[in-house]
Amino acid sequence: MGEKALCRELLHTAETGSTNDEMKKMLYAASERLFAVLSADRQTGGRGRLGRTFLSPTGGLYFSVSFPLSGTENNIPFLTLAAGLAVAEALDGFNTTGSRRIEIKWPNDIYINGKKACGILTELVTSPFGLAAVVGIGINIAEITEECPDTLKNKITSLNGEGIFAEKNTLMTEIVERLDKFVYSQRVLENVPDRMTEELNSRSFLAGRSVAFIDDGKEKTGTVVSIEKDGSLKTRTADGDAYIKFGEVTVIKQD
Ligand code: BTN
């Protein structure tokens, strides 16, 4: 990456409930700024956004990264998108023929050829040394097996299933170094460069799609316009533009 990488403590375990939960415990107990990465071969209680379960069998890459914050960051929601970009850019390096579509589904998923291959969960912790973020990343590496519930099978994919072969530690290092550069060198949580929103939008799975979402407690539909610098998703509806900040966006199937 042409820049000196941040020195991080690297920890690994064969099995844990959730690497995010373990990292949060470490942060609560830390007396000084903790720059760590914790990975696991499998998780028994992997968590996704909106209280969902993230199935984490052996064969995937599951890790959490701690980001001590200085308090000057004014755009923390952008961290998940920056992490998505770090994953997508790192995967580009293994997409040797460039033939797979590697896209970001706002706000926290990576899609390969139209199916989810990676999810990101960002959480905040107030530790004894101050505020820190935990970015948890789960990537399906090995092919999806028969044990995968039918409801998921058509929606998810894996790197190997799409012909992408990446050594887990190499991929994890590539992602973490990119994300460290975004957060600590480029300070994108204070000032998002135009280049980043342009890249996010050029990789946006939802761009131009019809979606349904909840806004102000009302169900709405619209067409996705863009990902904005504040991390929101701009959507054109019959009542004007809506800027979605939280929650779920569902693609409306068009035949
Ligand atoms: C989602 O799909 O909504 C986000 C999934 C995030 C999964 C990762 S795996 C590592 C870390 N530990 C967890 O329990 N969750 C995240």
Side-chain angles (χ1 to χ4, degrees):
M1 301 258 322
E3 233 173 282
K4 200 166 169 287
L6 187 74
C7 185
R8 281 187 173 275
E9 199 174 326
L10 299 180
L11 303 154
H12 179 78
T13 180
E15 181 179 295
T16 186
S18 152
T19 56
N20 264 35
D21 290 344
E22 287 307 312
M23 183 63 84
K24 281 158 73 178
K25 277 187 212 155
M26 283 164 49
L27 285 164
Y28 289 130
S31 52
E32 53 185 21
R33 282 155 65 86
L34 173 71
F35 294 90
V37 181
L38 170 65
S39 57
D41 292 333
R42 57 189 170 276
Q43 297 181 118
T44 52
R47 296 186 294 105
R49 232 174 123 248
L50 308 172
R52 294 189 182 122
T53 297
F54 187 81
L55 288 181
S56 313
T58 304
L61 171 59
Y62 315 106
F63 65 101
S64 298
V65 192
S66 63
F67 285 92
L69 301 173
S70 62
T72 51
E73 300 83 0
N74 51 31
N75 193 358
I76 294 172
F78 199 82
L79 182 53
T80 304
L81 289 166
L85 205 50
V87 173
E89 286 183 353
L91 287 177
D92 280 348
F94 300 92
N95 184 14
T96 40
T97 61
S99 58
R100 293 95 180 171
R101 264 182 301 125
I102 300 175
E103 295 175 305
I104 293 165
K105 178 175 181 274
W106 181 94
N108 70 318
D109 291 335
I110 302 300
Y111 273 37
I112 303 180
N113 291 338
K115 291 181 177 181
K116 175 169 173 168
C118 164
I120 299 166
L121 176 67
T122 303
E123 297 179 291
L124 289 178
V125 174
T126 307
S127 76
F129 61 79
L131 193 64
V134 175
V135 176
I137 299 178
I139 306 178
N140 304 330
I141 306 258
E143 290 205 32
I144 308 298
T145 61
E146 283 307 307
E147 284 107 75
C148 175
D150 287 340
T151 46
L152 269 184
K153 257 188 207 145
N154 298 331
K155 297 182 184 157
I156 63 171
T157 190
S158 67
L159 301 194
N160 294 174
E162 299 299 332
I164 296 177
F165 297 92
E167 198 276 315
K168 279 192 207 177
N169 279 319
T170 311
L171 176 60
M172 186 173 80
T173 305
E174 291 274 335
I175 294 168
V176 174
E177 285 185 8
R178 277 186 166 74
L179 198 42
D180 277 339
K181 188 171 146 200
F182 289 157
V183 174
Y184 295 116
S185 309
Q186 301 180 347
R187 303 206 64 86
V188 303
L189 303 183
E190 280 154 43
N191 187 12
V192 180
D194 291 343
R195 180 198 70 74
M196 273 191 107
T197 35
E198 281 160 16
E199 194 184 340
L200 280 168
N201 280 303
S202 73
R203 287 183 178 271
S204 172
F205 173 78
L206 292 175
R209 293 190 193 255
S210 299
V211 293
F213 58 97
I214 306 287
D215 187 30
D216 253 351
K218 290 188 213 103
E219 199 170 312
K220 291 192 177 170
T221 58
T223 306
V224 173
V225 179
S226 54
I227 296 169
E228 299 290 296
K229 283 200 172 185
D230 64 357
S232 65
L233 187 71
K234 179 176 176 180
T235 304
R236 192 141 296 151
T237 77
D239 310 325
D241 290 343
Y243 292 83
I244 308 168
K245 289 215 159 85
F246 311 101
E248 183 72 339
V249 166
T250 312
V251 175
I252 302 171
K253 286 227 163 51
Q254 283 158 327
D255 299 317

